[in-house]
Structures are given as C-alpha cells and as structure tokens.
Amino acid sequence: MTRILGIETSCDETSAAVLDGSGDEVDVRSLVILSQDVHRVFGGVVPEIASRAHLTSIVPVVSKALDDAATPLDDVDAIGVTCAPGLIGALLVGVCYAKSLAFARGIPVVGVHHMEGHLFATALESRDAVPPFTGLLVSGGHTLLVDVEAWGRYRLLGATRDDAAGEAFDKVAKLLGLPYPGGRHIEALALGADPSRFRFSRPMVRRKDTPADANYYAFSFSGLKTAVLNAVKSSADIDADRAAIARGFQDALVDSLVEKTFRAAVAYGRTRIVLGGGVACNSALVVAMRERVREIGATVFAPSPRLATDNAAMIARAGLFHFERGERAGLDLNAYASQPIPGLVAA
Ligand code: KG4
Ligand code: ZN
C-alpha cells in the first residue's frame, strides 16, 4: 500500500489530497480544494492573479490535507503533482513546492498530466469506472474523446477544432448576460425551457459520416456560438427568449458530445462510458448520454461535481498509477503549458 499526496495548481483551484492505495483499491483520506473566486470579477481566469493566489494558498492547503488525513509528512510515500497542461505560472507553483518537499524530506515525486488525472477521477467513487472504457473529457480548456484500453494506454480519437465545450458554455453565458463561469447557469435556465423554439444545427454531426472521415470523432463549437450570437442579436425580446436560446444551445452541444461518444463506444466495442471535467456536472449531458447508449447496453459513469472539476485526488490517483510502475521524476521536473497525454497509442 502506498500513501500518496496529490497537488494540483494548473488553473484556478489550489488543491491537495491524500490517498491510500494499491492498484484500483484506493481510499481518499482527505481532499482540500480552494477555488479562486477573484476571477469572477474579470469574467475569466487571469493567469498572473492565479499564480499569485496559488503562492499564498499552497502551504495551508497542503497542510490542511495532511491534517485531515492525520498524516505527518514522514508518512507520505510519494507525491503526485500536476506538471502539464495548464497555466505555466500556476503549474510552476505546485511543481516547485512538490520538488521542495521532495528535496527536503527525501520523498519521491511523479509528474502527472492533468487530463490523465481527469480520466481517473470517476474511478475514485465508482469501482466499475475502470478500463476498458470510452472516456469523454469536457472542461473549460479541453474536449477530448479517448478510448482507454487500460490505464496508461490511451487512444486519442477526437478533440475540439476550436473552443472547448466548457469554454462554449462560458462564452454563450456571457452573450446571454449570465455570470461567469456560465455552465451551470445555462443548465439551470435551459431546464424546462421550450426545446423547439431555437434549433441550432449539431456541430460536426452528419448522418452519412463514416469512420474514414477526418471529423468523425472531432468537435467544433465556435460555429454554434456564432449561431447563438445571431439569435441573440435578432431577438426582439431577449428576456423572453433567453431560456429557450440557452436550451437550444445546450441541446445542440450535448447532442454533438453524445453522438461522437456513442460512435467511439460502438467502434471499440466498449460497454462503459466515463465522463470527466467540469461539463460532466451537466445533468442534461449525463441523461442524454445514458439514453443514447442504452441500445448498446453501455453504462455511463459521471463523477460527482467535486471530482468532475479540478481536484488533487484525481492527480494523486494518476500519480499512484505511475509511482507503482516505478516512475520517478528528478529535481529537473518542469511544468509545461501543453503536452500530449502520456501513454498514447495509435488510433
Ligand atoms: O474541469 P473544470 O473545473 O476546469 C477546467 O479544467 O477547465 O471545468 C470548468 C468548466 C467551465 O467552463 C464551466 O462553465 C463548466 O466546466 N461547467 C459546466 C457545468 N458546471 C461547470 N458546464 C455545463 N453545465 C454545468 N452544470
Ligand atoms: Zn481540469
């Protein structure tokens, strides 16, 4: 059994967690997540402010996670820290702090890819959300469709050609005059709104698509965003139309995510679908996904909001996997704003 400390600072959450485990048998002993509310004022994450906020929070957040887990540093066997992708200044805070602990206390460190962390998140609470599965990661910065044959063997099938799914939610929320981050506000507004008043076309979904088409698994949301903008501009009474526009947007985006995921599950014969990232909090997405994959008898696993959004428990879990494989980072471990997920296999 390994006791691992996870550290996550890639965007606007400072998070630390302590996990006990071996293989898929893990126990989350503690999880602390400090969200930086300051960015709301600016309508988006301001990188320099994020780095500074991580600097002031990292020590108390890690201390709290260790205290909550009743774990002195001497009992920590390994540290898993997010080293890519993300805001470079924000990532560096976590990476430098992890390396300092490693150097001072002789604790081994492994660097973790943030998106691989998201793939592991749901398994922390659903024992069956383990490979093989079709993974759909939908966050503010990424939209990835991945076939997960085994932990550490990832076939990247599709990504967004432009905006990420969460980014589209946030931008459309702004067009509709809703607060940032806008995903949950759109979901709330769309609930119960008339789905037939605004029907936007489903991005990158055509009935005659075949696996040979380059965009068979790809996503694109900027055209949909423009369609929403046009609807807002031509509305005679936006207060009366706002909810129906939100509904039309969400339906189109969800349909596109669901259809591509369904295609991937069929193509690779998977009967498990695992969702991750902030947009996986969206109930309309989860419900539509369950309905679509019923005909192939697949089960959909969605993480609870605390594990869907950025957190260090998923980083500790992915770190445990790499630690158990014997991987160790040196003190030259660095942070990278973008980097492919490790363990990619040819599609
Ligand atoms: O994974 P996450 O916490 O951070 C990133 O790594 O980006 O995802 C944040 C994104 C935001 O764009 C937010 O609007 C979206 O997740 N989000 C939602 C919902 N809750 C959060 N989108 C749609 N419906 C929701 N209920
Ligand atoms: Zn994330």
Side-chain angles (χ1 to χ4, degrees):
M1 204 226 22
T2 303
R3 181 162 297 182
I4 185 162
L5 167 68
I7 297 177
E8 154 66 35
T9 63
S10 69
C11 190
D12 59 344
E13 264 92 26
T14 315
S15 181
V18 176
L19 240 74
D20 276 349
S22 126
D24 282 325
E25 298 295 321
V26 295
D27 175 31
V28 181
R29 292 180 65 94
S30 68
L31 171 58
V32 177
I33 305 171
L34 193 68
S35 295
Q36 305 174 357
D37 280 343
V38 56
H39 304 289
R40 282 169 205 271
V41 183
F42 302 98
V45 177
V46 183
E48 185 54 28
I49 294 178
S51 315
R52 285 163 192 254
H54 286 305
L55 269 180
T56 51
S57 316
I58 186 80
V59 173
V61 165
V62 170
S63 300
K64 175 101 172 51
L66 291 169
D67 283 355
D68 287 358
T71 298
L73 254 186
D74 286 342
D75 289 356
V76 172
D77 303 312
I79 300 171
V81 61
T82 309
C83 61
L87 302 171
I88 193 73
L91 286 165
L92 277 169
V93 175
V95 167
C96 291
Y97 188 65
K99 288 199 292 186
S100 310
L101 286 178
F103 183 63
R105 309 297 285 255
I107 307 169
V109 172
V110 286
V112 175
H113 190 285
H114 180 82
M115 300 314 290
E116 187 180 23
H118 275 299
L119 282 176
F120 275 96
T122 312
L124 291 171
E125 52 191 4
S126 303
R127 291 180 60 91
D128 294 331
V130 292
F133 64 78
T134 301
L136 176 70
L137 300 182
V138 273
S139 70
H142 297 270
T143 307
L144 299 176
L145 183 60
V146 191
D147 181 65
V148 180
E149 198 175 290
W151 294 129
R153 278 184 71 78
Y154 311 117
R155 196 174 276 113
L156 180 58
L157 299 176
T160 179
R161 299 262 184 243
D162 37 63
D163 293 350
E167 188 180 359
F169 267 104
D170 295 339
K171 287 179 175 170
V172 163
K174 197 169 182 180
L175 293 177
L176 293 174
L178 301 170
Y180 169 88
R184 64 190 172 87
H185 299 286
I186 294 205
E187 176 175 10
L189 202 57
L191 194 73
D194 184 349
S196 63
R197 288 201 45 224
F198 292 89
R199 231 194 112 73
F200 302 111
S201 68
R202 279 43 184 156
M204 298 226 164
V205 180
R206 291 171 312 171
R207 206 164 301 157
K208 57 181 188 334
D209 285 343
T210 72
D213 294 321
N215 287 334
Y216 189 65
Y217 297 119
F219 304 99
S220 162
F221 301 115
S222 77
L224 175 59
K225 183 185 64 193
T226 308
V228 171
L229 175 66
N230 291 336
V232 169
K233 277 189 181 158
S234 53
S235 164
D237 183 355
I238 187 63
D239 288 332
D241 291 342
R242 188 176 284 112
I245 294 176
R247 175 65 186 261
F249 160 75
Q250 181 175 274
D251 284 356
L253 183 141
V254 162
D255 264 12
S256 169
L257 294 176
V258 165
E259 195 53 33
K260 305 278 166 147
T261 309
F262 175 79
R263 289 175 179 181
V266 170
Y268 291 90
R270 305 300 181 212
T271 53
R272 284 184 282 239
I273 316 276
V274 174
L275 309 181
V279 181
C281 297
N282 188 288
S283 309
L285 169 64
V286 179
V287 168
M289 192 72 79
R290 292 207 164 113
E291 266 167 28
R292 184 68 178 97
V293 302
R294 191 173 300 138
E295 69 179 76
I296 55 168
T299 310
V300 176
F301 298 93
S304 62
R306 195 166 160 77
L307 292 174
T309 52
D310 291 349
N311 70 85
M314 68 185 196
I315 302 304
R317 177 65 190 85
L320 174 66
F321 168 73
H322 289 284
F323 180 77
E324 288 186 319
R325 290 216 302 195
E327 294 170 33
R328 305 289 183 267
L331 287 177
D332 57 351
L333 176 68
N334 207 348
Y336 297 93
S338 68
Q339 196 182 55
I341 290 194
L344 284 181
V345 296

